[in-house]
Amino acid sequence: MDAALIVVLPLVGGYIFASRWIVTKYVVDREDGHRLYFRAVFYGVFLFAVALLIRLILLSWFDSYYQIESVLSGELRGTLKEPNDPALRSTLVTALFALALGSIFWVPFELMPQNWKRFLFHRAIRNNEFETLLARAVQSVTPISVTMENNKVYVGLLNESLHTGVNRKYLTVFPLMSGFRDSNNGKIQFTTFYNRIYKNLGRVSPSIRLEDFEILLPIEHIQSLNMFDIAVYTEFQKQKHNKKKRKSVGRRKPIR
């Protein structure tokens, strides 16, 4: 029991620190299994070493600290099989220090500039094409086009922050257009244009808010996903319309 307690406390501190420290939190959020365990062990050992160093400094420089630790060691006697072993009590105090450090040591790093945090986030997702595309869409405020398994297509803006995406099951999309993709030729036919609805929303139903139009799309049913530029789409539609118009004029019979 004594050894288990001494080992578990730094491990918990290591996990808390690694999952909250801005340098590692985005990576830890995307890890599981043995990789996460070894990361907790690594930082647990690091925190234990730091805690031991801090204790030695306090014991050397401050006489009053020795009295405080003696009182604390006395309170911990009931948790040990061999309460009279001073080395065991000192080790337990160090393990508690490691847990405390892991719980608070990450806090100052939250003051880092947003640009640095964004860099660390993108570094954590650099091998995940799905999250990378979503992050680009959120950062540039660019719509995405999502094709579902039933060939339903949604074009809209992601209503999410850059740091979401851990074990996500849904995409939250604020729709701009929707329609269907032809299963034969792959072409998209848009049937609903939400901007027209949004313009008349206050007149039609004042009680409905824009947030009420958000759509949750289950990720497991997404067939494809890509960035969607409204201006480029509009230009393609114009070119397609002009091409059809020229063909129509060319097919007219000359007047005799």
Side-chain angles (χ1 to χ4, degrees):
M1 176 63 183
D2 297 345
L5 185 62
I6 291 172
V7 170
V8 167
L9 291 176
L11 281 180
V12 174
Y15 172 76
I16 295 174
F17 178 72
S19 61
R20 299 294 184 86
W21 188 31
I22 193 67
V23 177
T24 57
K25 65 182 292 186
Y26 304 128
V27 176
V28 170
D29 286 344
R30 290 157 177 82
E31 289 181 334
D32 55 13
H34 68 280
R35 292 179 62 88
L36 184 58
Y37 173 76
F38 285 126
R39 190 177 292 275
V41 170
F42 174 81
Y43 285 104
V45 171
F46 166 75
L47 291 172
F48 188 86
V50 173
L52 179 60
L53 178 62
I54 292 175
R55 278 191 63 247
L56 293 176
I57 293 174
L58 292 175
L59 288 170
S60 301
W61 291 2
F62 302 98
D63 295 335
S64 58
Y65 173 76
Y66 180 80
Q67 300 298 327
I68 295 174
E69 187 166 304
S70 297
V71 174
L72 180 60
S73 298
E75 295 296 327
L76 296 174
R77 285 172 179 261
T79 64
L80 300 174
K81 291 182 179 180
E82 300 180 12
N84 296 322
D85 187 345
L88 190 61
R89 294 202 306 270
S90 297
T91 306
L92 182 57
V93 170
T94 305
L96 285 171
F97 260 78
L99 174 61
L101 285 176
S103 302
I104 63 174
F105 200 41
W106 57 272
V107 175
F109 294 95
E110 286 297 313
L111 301 177
M112 295 172 63
Q114 287 297 324
N115 290 338
W116 179 240
K117 293 181 180 180
R118 188 176 294 112
F119 165 76
L120 293 172
F121 170 72
H122 283 285
R123 188 187 65 173
I125 66 171
R126 63 182 181 272
N127 295 323
N128 189 316
E129 292 82 0
F130 182 77
E131 283 200 65
T132 299
L133 190 147
L134 295 181
R136 284 172 50 208
V138 172
Q139 190 172 355
S140 61
V141 197
T142 301
I144 61 170
S145 174
V146 185
T147 302
M148 308 301 294
E149 287 181 349
N150 60 359
N151 289 330
K152 181 74 174 181
V153 178
Y154 296 94
V155 172
L157 295 169
L158 281 172
N159 188 19
E160 302 180 14
S161 70
L162 272 177
H163 303 153
T164 59
V166 184
N167 298 323
R168 68 161 82 224
K169 295 183 178 179
Y170 297 91
L171 286 184
T172 306
V173 177
F174 184 74
L176 301 175
M177 298 184 293
S178 66
F180 294 90
R181 184 183 295 275
D182 192 300
S183 57
N184 295 319
N185 56 29
K187 293 183 179 180
I188 301 176
Q189 179 65 43
F190 289 109
T191 57
T192 305
F193 297 87
Y194 290 86
N195 60 324
R196 301 171 187 174
I197 300 175
Y198 300 149
K199 289 179 181 179
N200 300 320
L201 192 60
R203 180 175 56 83
V204 175
S205 180
S207 61
I208 299 180
R209 303 170 302 170
L210 288 176
E211 293 83 357
D212 297 331
F213 286 88
E214 290 179 348
I215 300 175
L216 291 179
L217 302 177
I219 290 178
E220 62 178 349
H221 296 303
I222 292 178
Q223 192 175 59
S224 66
L225 184 147
N226 60 275
M227 306 278 275
F228 190 93
D229 193 299
I230 300 292
V232 173
Y233 170 76
T234 303
E235 183 62 27
F236 271 118
Q237 292 301 108
K238 288 181 179 179
Q239 292 181 11
K240 187 184 298 184
H241 176 73
N242 293 335
K243 188 176 181 180
K244 288 182 178 179
K245 189 175 181 180
R246 287 195 298 269
K247 285 184 178 180
S248 177
V249 172
R251 289 173 183 172
R252 291 179 183 175
K253 295 181 178 180
I255 299 177
R256 295 180 180 178

